[in-house]
Amino acid sequence: AQSVTQLGSHVSVSEGALVLLRCNYSSSVPPYLFWYVQYPNQGLQLLLKYTTGATLVKGINGFEAEFKKSETSFHLTKPSAHMSDAAEYFCAVNPRVGNNRLAFGKGNQVVVIP
Amino acid sequence: DVKVTQSSRYLVKRTGEKVFLECVQDMDHENMFWYRQDPGLGLRLIYFSYDVKMKEKGDIPEGYSVSREKKERFSLILESASTNQTSMYLCASSLSGMNTEAFFGQGTRLTVV
């Protein structure tokens, strides 16, 4: 079964500083990769995804992520944090074979400090 | 825009009650999912369905069942609610194909007392 690792359940970042959220997956065959964001009292919303092609993927709200096969990673970054980025972020993977079962990491709660 | 609608935002039920959580999507998606979200545990898959009347168990199906009689509707059933089923429940839908993203409803926060 796929597993997804997100380290650090709570991440504090100063307004204007770099946001870096790490995601690693365990699979010999690279899966499809997704980042979702959840604002308070809302469902999840897609930030970006990697399926094929360019390994640097740009998403909404200035976020981007880079797929690195050699490191089995799909880290999420944003150059300059904004107060509105305070939310919970989830990395998710879907295997390229087998059942369509999206597996999620445990999430990172991002706090932006003014 | 894709819309996934969950019938209730908040529910309070008593231990032992039979509980129905309803989810409707309006984009003709083949796949539908029920997840449970708990602090520090992320989202855990309870059941998913890839077609009408078809279902597969997820990672934590115990104590739950599902029903999908129509393509747009996927129901989660707690046969006899227990306090350890107090949680946030999220419904999602997607097109078939593993490279497609899932679209989520707003969630139902269920409290079992």
Side-chain angles (χ1 to χ4, degrees), chain B residues 1 17 21 25 27 34 37 40 46 50 52 57 60 73 75 80 85 97 99 102 108 112:
Chain B
D1 279 353
E17 275 194 80
L21 302 183
Q25 50 97 0
M27 283 301 292
W34 276 106
Q37 182 180 11
I46 305 172
Y50 50 91
V52 175
K57 293 180 180 179
I60 53 164
R73 187 180 297 271
S75 303
S80 178
Q85 293 179 308
N99 61 345
T108 296
V112 182

Side-chain angles (χ1 to χ4, degrees), chain A residues 32 34 36 38 41-44 46 49 51 88 90 94-107, chain B residues 9 31 33 35 37 40-43 45 48 56-59 90 94-95 97-102 104-106:
Chain A
Y32 298 110
F34 306 83
Y36 286 85
Q38 185 180 33
N41 298 316
Q42 295 188 26
L44 277 70
L46 182 72
K49 69 176 182 180
T51 55
E88 191 156 20
F90 293 94
N94 208 345
R96 291 178 185 261
V97 293
N99 290 326
N100 186 350
R101 296 177 58 151
L102 196 59
F104 286 83
K106 294 185 177 181
Chain B
R9 290 296 302 273
N31 299 325
F33 308 85
Y35 289 90
Q37 182 180 11
L41 297 179
L43 276 72
L45 182 64
F48 73 100
E56 285 200 19
K57 293 180 180 179
D59 299 318
L90 292 167
S94 72
L95 291 168
M98 299 174 192
N99 61 345
T100 62
E101 66 264 35
F104 283 81
Q106 296 279 69

Side-chain angles (χ1 to χ4, degrees), chain A residues 38 41-45, chain B residues 3-6 9 23-24 33 88-93 102-108:
Chain A
Q38 185 180 33
N41 298 316
Q42 295 188 26
L44 277 70
Q45 172 183 351
Chain B
K3 194 165 183 181
V4 179
T5 304
Q6 295 183 229
R9 290 296 302 273
C23 176
V24 176
F33 308 85
M88 171 70 86
Y89 291 87
L90 292 167
C91 176
S93 71
F103 294 84
F104 283 81
Q106 296 279 69
T108 296

Side-chain angles (χ1 to χ4, degrees), chain A residues 8-9 21 29 39 43 52 61 67 81 88 106:
Chain A
S9 60
L21 303 179
V29 177
Y39 297 105
T52 58
N61 301 339
F67 167 60
E88 191 156 20
K106 294 185 177 181

Side-chain angles (χ1 to χ4, degrees), chain A residues 3-111:
Chain A
S3 73
V4 183
T5 302
Q6 292 181 248
L7 295 178
S9 60
H10 286 76
V11 176
S12 294
V13 59
S14 297
E15 191 175 14
L18 172 72
V19 179
L20 169 60
L21 303 179
R22 300 178 188 275
C23 173
N24 289 89
Y25 63 88
S26 66
S27 171
S28 56
V29 177
Y32 298 110
L33 296 154
F34 306 83
W35 274 98
Y36 286 85
V37 60
Q38 185 180 33
Y39 297 105
N41 298 316
Q42 295 188 26
L44 277 70
Q45 172 183 351
L46 182 72
L47 270 180
L48 48 79
K49 69 176 182 180
Y50 172 77
T51 55
T52 58
T55 56
L56 182 62
V57 181
K58 294 187 185 298
I60 61 171
N61 301 339
F63 283 92
E64 62 183 35
E66 186 171 13
F67 167 60
K68 292 187 176 180
K69 183 178 177 180
S70 61
E71 299 178 8
T72 61
S73 69
F74 191 54
H75 301 334
L76 182 72
T77 59
K78 181 174 180 177
S80 177
H82 191 271
M83 296 300 294
S84 61
D85 295 326
E88 191 156 20
Y89 293 80
F90 293 94
C91 182
V93 303
N94 208 345
R96 291 178 185 261
V97 293
N99 290 326
N100 186 350
R101 296 177 58 151
L102 196 59
F104 286 83
K106 294 185 177 181
N108 295 121
Q109 183 69 53
V110 171
V111 175

